Amino acid sequence: MELAYFSGRAWLKRRGVGGAGVVLRFERVRPRRAARFQPLKSHEITPRFLDRTIRALKRWKYDIISMDEVCQRAVTLASPRRFACLTFDGGYKDVMASAYPVLSRHGVSFTVYVPTAFPDGIGEAWWLALEQVIARENRLSLVMGREEKHFDIAGTAEKYQLYNFLWGWMRSLAPSDLSSAINDLCTRYSVDLAALSREASMDWIDLAKLAADPLVTLGTATVNYPALSNLQDAAALREMTMGRAVAQAAFHRDVRHFAYPFGDRGSWRRQHAVMAEQAGFAGAASAIPGVVEAEGRSNLHALPRISWDGRQRSLRVMRVILSGAAFPQVRPTRSGSI
């Protein structure tokens, strides 16, 4: 990426593949931590890096726009200036505590996607509980497929290996099985899953403050944040529609935007894009990397986003990625691309 920056290759390719703009996907925003075991570090950025990013986008002459405007620009002729849209997944408390002051100071639009069970205090942030259990223990036992499994995890490398293994396994489970598995693990190792989830998440008071700001777009990410590919179609549609209904009742406004939980290719399918449109969303954002094309070449209900890896702090690398040089060019289709 650094070589591409200094060679100018990205700027030459940008003319052909840069698209109309990009949607950036962030999750947590908080100061850097010193812990050796941080399996979710790639999902975090610091407030300072967010500040640097916004300053850079302005310096690079990007229009920083809302998701409503993203949807407009995706179906109209390309503007001379490319856009960037800032989005935050998960409804984390630190978006209010650490990100919002930076975003407000710069006066830029941004979008927060909220899984609506979490402000009510009933969502289960199983990935955080899994991190806490593994961080604290040197040995771990749990039931997988009706069989008791045992793991020695005294070293940091072993902890990372087990986290990645169990994260993938839990992501593949049906919601009821996933809830049973993480609750069993938390009971065994004295982790308060409910308290941990509540502490990490914004409540409705926080969200009401964001809703009062005209620069903030609030969208939903279902009710319970399941991987939609693990659900029957009726259950997936119910998660989408109920999430939207709860948010609209809370904010007293139309909620027009949706983000697929997790958002990668394994977490949702083509039929879910159709469901998102049926549920009344103007746009649905994935975590599949890419740029947003103009003139209807990007499917509004399968919008690509660039998930920023918080371990990477180079703005040079960011500029190359935002140029679109790293992504395949979208070919025009009648129905848009997924």
Side-chain angles (χ1 to χ4, degrees):
M1 289 294 181
E2 294 278 356
L3 179 62
Y5 176 87
F6 285 111
S7 70
R9 175 174 171 269
W11 323 130
L12 292 174
K13 289 196 70 177
R14 173 174 163 175
R15 296 177 184 177
V17 301
V22 293
V23 181
L24 278 165
R25 176 181 180 264
F26 304 107
E27 292 184 50
R28 305 201 70 171
V29 182
R30 59 179 178 174
R32 194 168 293 117
R33 298 175 294 147
R36 294 180 65 186
F37 178 63
Q38 297 186 54
L40 296 171
K41 190 173 182 178
S42 63
H43 299 253
E44 301 182 8
I45 61 170
T46 65
R48 182 173 181 271
F49 183 79
L50 179 60
D51 179 75
R52 290 177 60 216
T53 296
I54 296 170
R55 292 179 185 277
L57 291 171
K58 291 179 176 179
R59 188 167 65 249
W60 298 335
K61 307 300 183 185
Y62 279 80
D63 294 333
I64 302 177
I65 65 174
S66 68
M67 280 304 303
D68 278 330
E69 191 169 346
V70 170
C71 292
Q72 292 171 8
R73 292 205 188 190
V75 297
T76 57
L77 293 174
S79 169
R81 285 169 61 112
R82 297 181 75 224
F83 67 77
C85 179
L86 308 176
T87 66
F88 298 84
D89 283 12
Y92 288 107
K93 187 89 172 178
D94 43 57
V95 170
M96 170 59 78
S98 298
Y100 188 49
V102 176
L103 295 157
S104 296
R105 185 166 66 248
H106 282 284
V108 295
S109 299
F110 65 98
T111 298
V112 178
Y113 294 108
V114 182
T116 55
F118 287 77
D120 281 326
I122 56 175
E124 293 182 342
W126 59 266
W127 52 93
L128 300 182
L130 181 62
E131 177 185 17
Q132 191 170 116
V133 169
I134 294 176
R136 286 176 12 182
E137 303 300 325
N138 290 327
R139 293 182 179 84
L140 188 144
S141 300
L142 77 162
V143 176
M144 299 180 68
R146 299 184 181 180
E147 184 179 348
E148 186 88 6
K149 299 285 188 179
H150 307 279
F151 302 93
D152 291 321
I153 49 172
T156 303
E158 290 83 0
K159 291 179 184 291
Y160 276 106
Q161 185 177 15
L162 182 61
Y163 185 90
N164 292 334
F165 171 66
L166 292 181
W167 187 92
W169 172 64
M170 290 186 174
R171 253 282 303 267
S172 71
L173 296 176
S176 59
D177 294 334
L178 171 54
S179 183
S180 295
I182 194 62
N183 276 281
D184 175 61
L185 195 64
C186 289
T187 299
R188 289 177 184 232
Y189 296 101
S190 302
V191 169
D192 190 335
L193 174 60
L196 178 65
S197 302
R198 284 195 301 270
E199 182 182 350
S201 304
M202 284 187 281
D203 57 27
W204 292 115
I205 296 174
D206 295 322
L207 290 165
K209 293 176 183 177
L210 291 179
D213 188 332
L215 290 174
V216 180
T217 298
L218 291 173
T220 66
T222 71
V223 178
N224 298 296
Y225 211 70
L228 295 178
S229 56
N230 294 336
L231 302 179
Q232 296 293 324
D233 286 353
L237 182 59
R238 185 165 57 249
E239 279 280 351
M240 291 183 186
T241 56
M242 286 299 296
R244 184 173 187 238
V246 171
Q248 291 186 155
F251 304 137
H252 305 290
R253 66 175 66 172
D254 189 24
V255 174
R256 294 169 42 80
H257 298 285
F258 175 75
Y260 299 101
F262 304 102
D264 55 69
R265 291 186 185 276
S267 65
W268 62 283
R269 301 191 180 97
R270 286 179 179 269
Q271 65 262 34
H272 299 125
V274 176
M275 292 180 195
E277 186 173 10
Q278 291 174 345
F281 293 108
S286 74
I288 297 172
V291 299
V292 178
E293 301 283 348
E295 302 177 34
R297 294 194 297 271
S298 288
N299 187 332
L300 293 183
H301 296 92
L303 289 168
R305 285 190 294 172
I306 296 171
S307 299
W308 186 254
D309 187 329
R311 297 168 297 186
Q312 173 60 258
R313 299 194 293 273
S314 169
L315 292 178
R316 291 170 181 165
V317 169
M318 177 178 281
R319 194 171 189 188
V320 172
I321 293 173
L322 298 192
S323 74
F327 308 120
Q329 189 169 7
V330 174
R331 297 180 181 277
T333 66
R334 290 183 180 179
S335 58
S337 246
I338 297 181

